[in-house]
Amino acid sequence: NLYNSGDKDTKQNENLANKFAKKACDLGDKDTCERIKQRQTFESSYNKCVAGDKAMCKEITQQKSFSKFIEHCDFGDNGICGLIGQIYYLAEEYKTAKPYLKKACDNDIYINCFLLAQVYGIFEKDSPNGAKYYEVVCNKASGTIKGLGCGYLGSYYAMGSGVRQDIKKAYSLFKLSCESGFSAGCFSIANGYEIGLPEYGIKQNMRTAKEYYGRGCDLGNDGYEYSCAKYRELNEQGIP
């Protein structure tokens, strides 16, 4: 429990928590064994939920056993808080999801920071809170999650939504998003090079635009099909 929740002297460590829980179960602690079993069942249903089964998401929130996981979250299991928040989010129960997403985000589970920013985007479109949590993801996460955070934060700066509009900063964030593996970030920076934005330090360069469209296409995640189409268009125009 100490490694699950963490305190001022002990850093939270989910792997160690699971290791000691298994050991306790092996030594005959029935309550711990039951908790492990419940968590495994919960995570199996969760995997179906995140795979796109919205009915499963809603079904999970209505199960009696779900209240047990809420208790685990209240006790300090931030990993479970994150899973609960994600399930409520995927079940489109956004307001209920919010406190669970925030608790997990505050404990450095960055996918939950991203989803929390999405919730703010739904209910408070011009609030700085969305940008605030995208910035957390962009600055602290890694890989594609970082790319998502930087890409969405770039959009906020491009539109001046909840932050002072800053096109130059927006495109630097799109570039970072692309470099972190997010296709839509590559598309956005490519578009800047295609049309040219010299007043923001981006000179028109069709060759560079094609390169970024190609990167966005190759990444194959959100928005990749637009990058593929633009790469094909420039290729057919004879852009090297």
Side-chain angles (χ1 to χ4, degrees), residues 38-58:
Q38 286 178 351
R39 181 161 186 157
Q40 288 172 340
T41 301
F42 176 78
E43 289 179 351
S44 174
S45 299
Y46 165 81
N47 288 336
K48 293 177 183 177
C49 171
V50 297
D53 188 342
K54 286 189 178 181
M56 175 59 75
C57 300
K58 290 187 178 293

Side-chain angles (χ1 to χ4, degrees), residues 105-139:
C105 174
D106 289 345
N107 285 278
D108 302 330
I109 305 176
Y110 298 118
I111 181 60
N112 293 284
C113 301
F114 176 79
L115 295 177
L116 182 58
Q118 294 268 287
V119 170
Y120 278 114
I122 292 167
F123 293 104
E124 302 175 25
K125 289 187 178 180
D126 294 321
S127 163
N129 287 315
K132 171 186 172 182
Y133 286 105
Y134 285 134
E135 187 169 24
V136 169
V137 179
C138 183
N139 290 341

Side-chain angles (χ1 to χ4, degrees), residues 134-180:
Y134 285 134
E135 187 169 24
V136 169
V137 179
C138 183
N139 290 341
K140 294 186 176 181
S142 59
T144 305
I145 296 299
K146 179 183 182 74
L148 281 164
C150 296
Y152 275 86
L153 183 61
S155 296
Y156 269 60
Y157 276 102
M159 296 183 293
S161 178
V163 292
R164 185 179 296 182
Q165 188 179 43
D166 188 332
I167 303 297
K168 191 171 184 178
K169 184 168 185 175
Y171 275 90
S172 70
L173 288 164
F174 291 146
K175 186 174 182 181
L176 183 55
S177 172
C178 176
E179 290 169 351
S180 300

